[in-house]
Amino acid sequence: MKYERLNNNVLMPQLGLGVYKVLNEEVTDVVTHALNVGYRSIDTAQFYENEDGVGEAIRNSPIPREDLFITSKVWNSHHGYDNTLRAFEESMEKLKLEYLDLYLIHWPTPMYDQYIETYKALEKLYHDGRVKAIGVSNFNIEHLERVLNECDVTPVLNQVEYHPYLQQDELKKYCREHSILIEAWSPLARGNVLNDPAIVHLAKKHQKSPAQIVLRWHIQQDSIIIPKSVTPSRIRENFHIFDFELSSEDMKKIEKLNRNERTGRDPNEMNVR
Ligand code: NDP
């Protein structure tokens, strides 16, 4: 496992397991399997309604809490200072944890204009020692600019949709200049990139699976990734990406696949609460 150093010196595993759309009934088994394979980072959220099951897997595991990295996120319905503090306590009750490693604002929902107050609640949780790091998700440059201008703590990362078909060059450059890491959600574009001829060709060349090629491409750009799978063999396969390297030509071939194509919502249009 490789770790990234966040801008507040906390170390975060570069690879974690995402559990969006994993049912609470199945998530305990899925996370337990991932921990047995070697994963140490789990990405959940208030919205996923599976924090209970994630917490159960953590409690059942012999792995010391300090070796794990647990992320959750406040949902759009709980923006605002007090609401966010309440949402955090609800998540902690479900997870039954003493602290979180990373707490994120799930979406900026700029049409409601409460993400600054929401971020200030995250700062309080950080200063009170309830979370080791705070960050944002789905923030565009204009949203990040407001956070940097109006708040005190620089987000450690921005979790955004990022994969070969959506490479977010401008946002990535802005984040790099401000010591904010990119965490890629849908790193496999929900499977859409896996049949791309360029990816299939590289998979044959390296005798790896298409998913391993794409995940390795992310790793070599110093992104943090949280591929989701409920399939035991895929969870294992996605973990084994540290024993080979893509050449700079291989990397460029994948770079050329960019189409600025989203699988998910545009942050400026996401208004669901
Ligand atoms: P991913 O790009 O991780 O793709 C997941 C899909 O790919 C699933 O259908 C999975 O199938 C399949 N898959 C996984 N591994 C392989 C493999 N080795 N070979 C073939 N198929 C594979 O998409 P997600 O949208 O789930 O994103 C990952 C995580 O990012 C989420 O779980 C969540 O934690 C986070 N996220 C955050 C968002 C945000 O707004 N902040 C939005 C969306 C996601 P199967 O499970 O059946 O094996």
Side-chain angles (χ1 to χ4, degrees), residues 18-20 43 48 73 106-107 137-138 159 185-191 194 211 226-231 234 237-238:
V19 294
Y20 179 36
D43 181 84
Y48 302 168
K73 318 181 190 86
H106 208 140
W107 292 87
S137 177
N138 298 303
Q159 184 184 114
W185 66 253
S186 293
L188 302 171
R190 301 193 166 140
L194 300 180
I226 42 170
K228 171 263 177 187
S229 178
V230 294
T231 313
R234 289 175 173 173
E237 174 184 318
N238 295 348

Side-chain angles (χ1 to χ4, degrees), residues 3-231:
Y3 287 77
E4 285 290 332
R5 191 174 290 280
L6 307 178
N7 63 26
N8 66 348
N9 265 332
V10 166
L11 291 176
M12 177 171 185
Q14 217 184 337
L15 167 70
L17 181 78
V19 294
Y20 179 36
K21 292 202 170 152
V22 184
L23 297 175
N24 196 48
E25 299 84 83
E26 59 177 345
V27 79
T28 307
D29 284 349
V30 168
V31 171
T32 300
H33 174 68
L35 295 177
N36 289 337
V37 164
Y39 289 75
R40 293 294 177 264
S41 169
I42 308 294
D43 181 84
T44 182
Q46 179 186 20
F47 181 66
Y48 302 168
E49 297 185 337
N50 58 18
E51 289 168 312
D52 274 313
V54 169
E56 194 179 331
I58 294 168
R59 280 195 305 289
N60 293 344
S61 162
I63 299 164
R65 172 68 184 91
E66 61 272 21
D67 292 350
L68 298 175
F69 193 102
I70 310 300
T71 301
S72 192
K73 318 181 190 86
V74 54
W75 184 240
N76 308 343
S77 51
H78 285 64
H79 277 211
Y81 191 83
D82 291 334
N83 281 342
T84 298
L85 295 180
R86 260 194 298 275
F88 176 78
E89 295 307 335
E90 281 168 25
S91 285
M92 297 307 276
E93 269 166 38
K94 289 185 180 146
L95 286 160
K96 298 194 177 65
L97 293 178
E98 294 285 311
Y99 68 91
L100 268 188
D101 295 278
L102 177 62
Y103 198 43
L104 305 177
I105 302 180
H106 208 140
W107 292 87
T109 54
M111 58 294 289
Y112 306 122
D113 195 18
Q114 284 186 300
Y115 61 87
I116 293 296
E117 278 176 69
T118 304
Y119 194 79
K120 288 190 174 170
L122 265 58
E123 288 185 316
K124 174 172 170 50
L125 294 167
Y126 180 59
H127 291 311
D128 289 351
R130 306 293 308 281
V131 299
K132 303 277 184 206
I134 56 175
V136 294
S137 177
N138 298 303
F139 275 43
N140 290 344
I141 291 175
E142 68 264 29
H143 314 130
L144 287 170
E145 242 159 22
R146 278 197 62 195
V147 170
L148 294 178
N149 287 334
E150 298 175 44
C151 302
D152 297 324
V153 180
T154 301
V156 295
L157 58 76
N158 188 12
Q159 184 184 114
V160 292
E161 183 176 349
Y162 190 101
H163 46 70
Y165 291 162
L166 180 72
Q167 299 194 22
Q168 307 259 32
D169 289 337
E170 223 187 313
L171 181 61
K172 193 171 179 185
K173 182 167 174 281
Y174 180 89
C175 286
R176 192 180 297 124
E177 283 166 4
H178 292 87
S179 308
I180 300 168
L181 290 174
I182 292 282
E183 180 173 28
W185 66 253
S186 293
L188 302 171
R190 301 193 166 140
N192 292 345
V193 293
L194 300 180
N195 292 323
D196 190 288
I199 302 292
V200 172
H201 173 79
L202 287 171
K204 283 198 186 118
K205 176 179 160 190
H206 288 275
Q207 300 197 325
K208 292 283 174 183
S209 73
Q212 287 171 320
I213 297 294
V214 174
L215 297 176
R216 181 69 207 179
W217 170 79
H218 285 284
I219 291 288
Q220 286 183 214
Q221 295 175 80
D222 294 330
S223 294
I224 292 169
I225 47 173
I226 42 170
K228 171 263 177 187
S229 178
V230 294
T231 313

